[in-house]
Amino acid sequence: MSEPLGTGDEQPGLTIGISGPARKGTAHRLISLGIRLQGGRTHYIRPGSRTDVSLLDGLVLSGGTHVHPEHYNQQPMVTANYDRERDATDQRLLEEAERIGIPVLGICRGAQFINVFHGGSLCQNVTPFRVHTRHRPLLLPMQTVRVVKNSRLGHIMQSSMIGANRIHSQAIKRLGRNLRVVAVDNDLFVQAIENTHHQWLMGVQWHPEYLLYHSGHRRIFRQFVQAALDFKLGRLEPDSGKPDPDVNSEEE
């Protein structure tokens, strides 16, 4: 069984790519911090980058501008900023990551992009459909999220109900192929997805990087980095017979 990370000791050669906009912001610095606290090193990937994904041990698709609706066969229905170059870069990164099998964590836009990549669609404006939740930005974990216990996220959070923040106006609508919903809010908008095959892939609609002071949200980064380490060791020692890290969640 893998020893839990979290001491801040850097793992030799463990490199996590963080895909984001051309200009790095606070969220991306906090994602990097969350990974470095668990022993990983980070490499920032800007739109148009030709980063060799095979040299990475894990990939984070971070938040940011809306995914262009053309990727799920719709026209824009809201006024929004789009970044087609970033869409193209994230498409290439995700294609390579899934081909190789490296762990992937999607945050907000990143979770939405994972869904679209798998053939799903998005609701371009959730505001008119809110009944039990108010549509306003929340950096604090004041949004109630219900988590499926028998899931990677359930093992990580160790609770069927958690608090999360909310900084989005779009959400997953039609679920993509080979994905399952593992968390919803009180209006049943999708809050987290995972894949249904062996690769470690998770998308969360909230921003755990702003909640690093909370042990549960910090464990998302812990288990992601642990999955990256296990994947790397599996590439170095393919016959090591390491167990699936999904069932090895540890208490802090």
Side-chain angles (χ1 to χ4, degrees), residues 146-161 180-183 194 246 249:
R146 303 176 189 181
V147 180
V148 174
K149 287 185 178 180
N150 186 24
S151 65
R152 292 189 185 106
L153 184 63
H155 287 299
I156 290 170
M157 301 307 293
Q158 302 170 6
S159 175
S160 61
M161 192 168 295
R180 68 167 180 154
V181 176
V182 295
E194 297 173 1
D246 299 342
S249 298

Side-chain angles (χ1 to χ4, degrees), residues 24 195 216:
K24 187 187 299 186
N195 61 347

